[in-house]
Amino acid sequence: IGGVDVPALGFAIGIERLVDYLEEKKILKTEQTDYPIIAGVDEAGRGALAGPIIVAAVILPTGFQNPLIQDSKILNPSQRKRAYRLVKKEALEYNIIAKSAREVEIKNPLAATKEAMAETLANLKNKPDLCLVDGQEKIVMEGFKIVSVVGGDRRSINIAAASIVAKHGICDLHRQTYEPIKSLLKPDCDKKKLRE
């Protein structure tokens, strides 16, 4: 396609992802022994039509474990509230950055999320030895070791803690320029047609 060898490109991307996966697996295996200060980073709201994007960075004490701290999506509201209180109490530090619905609309959800992730790490008082970020997008910051971890909120307690804090911060303001909200707000909106 347009002079690009698509199979070769796909293979190269696959190899790059495999290398990333092996690196993240190795780091997750040794994270508690090799890196004394670890920040977990996650977001809430990026895929939603409602509200801002909230990004949290959390530094837990080395070796901290608690079965309640896991991916916020699998906790019920009561468990999430208890988990949030526990993270607030036990964390060495946490930081939250919110990108308003308007900022998200202007920048796009991915760009706003990456910007918020960089900001939340830069604002930590304790500089982490390692930053574990949920997802596959690359976050690059000078002086920070940052590893993206696919499914990180289920694979790292540090990311799980960040997912709980971020989820707690979500509110329900609509992103009015996104579909279907945008069409629903028009005075001449044919709601029957939208349902089809």
Side-chain angles (χ1 to χ4, degrees), residues 37-41 55-60 91-97 116-132 141 144:
I37 301 176
I38 301 169
V41 183
V55 172
V58 176
I59 299 174
L60 293 172
L92 299 177
E93 184 180 358
Y94 66 93
N95 187 31
I96 303 165
I97 295 285
M117 286 177 166
E119 285 175 26
T120 195
L121 287 170
N123 290 337
L124 289 169
K125 293 183 186 85
N126 298 289
K127 186 178 176 186
D129 300 302
L130 173 66
C131 308
L132 298 175
M141 292 173 65
F144 286 80

Side-chain angles (χ1 to χ4, degrees), residues 17-34:
R17 184 64 204 119
L18 177 62
V19 169
D20 290 347
Y21 173 76
L22 293 173
E23 182 192 8
E24 75 188 34
K25 195 170 176 185
K26 180 183 169 190
I27 284 173
L28 288 172
K29 194 173 180 181
T30 62
E31 64 180 292
Q32 297 295 339
T33 53
D34 292 359

Side-chain angles (χ1 to χ4, degrees), residues 45-59:
R46 192 172 105 189
L49 289 170
I53 285 174
I54 307 289
V55 172
V58 176
I59 299 174

Side-chain angles (χ1 to χ4, degrees), residues 2-3 11 21 34 38 60 66 75 81 106 111 115 160 173:
F11 180 75
Y21 173 76
D34 292 359
I38 301 169
L60 293 172
N66 189 298
L75 298 174
K81 194 178 284 187
I106 292 167
E115 184 179 283
L173 297 171

Side-chain angles (χ1 to χ4, degrees), residues 28-187:
L28 288 172
K29 194 173 180 181
T30 62
E31 64 180 292
Q32 297 295 339
T33 53
D34 292 359
Y35 304 97
I37 301 176
I38 301 169
V41 183
D42 201 3
E43 57 77 27
R46 192 172 105 189
L49 289 170
I53 285 174
I54 307 289
V55 172
V58 176
I59 299 174
L60 293 172
T62 304
F64 179 83
Q65 292 295 325
N66 189 298
L68 189 57
I69 308 304
Q70 50 185 305
D71 179 4
S72 64
K73 293 186 288 296
I74 62 175
L75 298 174
N76 66 41
S78 169
Q79 291 171 322
R80 211 163 31 239
K81 194 178 284 187
R82 282 175 31 231
Y84 174 70
R85 284 198 294 259
L86 179 65
V87 171
K88 273 184 69 176
K89 180 183 172 195
E90 298 293 339
L92 299 177
E93 184 180 358
Y94 66 93
N95 187 31
I96 303 165
I97 295 285
K99 293 294 178 182
S100 70
R102 187 74 189 127
E103 283 181 275
V104 174
E105 289 164 3
I106 292 167
K107 293 172 182 170
N108 84 46
L110 178 59
T113 300
K114 289 174 82 167
E115 184 179 283
M117 286 177 166
E119 285 175 26
T120 195
L121 287 170
N123 290 337
L124 289 169
K125 293 183 186 85
N126 298 289
K127 186 178 176 186
D129 300 302
L130 173 66
C131 308
L132 298 175
V133 177
D134 186 49
Q136 61 184 13
E137 287 81 21
K138 299 276 186 230
I139 310 294
V140 179
M141 292 173 65
E142 193 174 338
F144 286 80
K145 181 171 181 60
I146 303 173
V147 177
S148 300
V149 182
V150 176
D153 41 13
R154 292 180 185 224
R155 298 173 64 198
S156 164
I157 192 168
N158 299 282
I159 296 175
S163 83
I164 289 162
V165 173
K167 191 81 163 178
H168 185 81
I170 281 296
C171 66
D172 58 357
L173 297 171
H174 288 295
R175 294 192 192 133
Q176 297 182 4
T177 61
Y178 281 20
E179 293 295 353
I181 303 301
K182 183 177 177 180
S183 294
L184 285 167
L185 292 174
K186 289 181 182 174

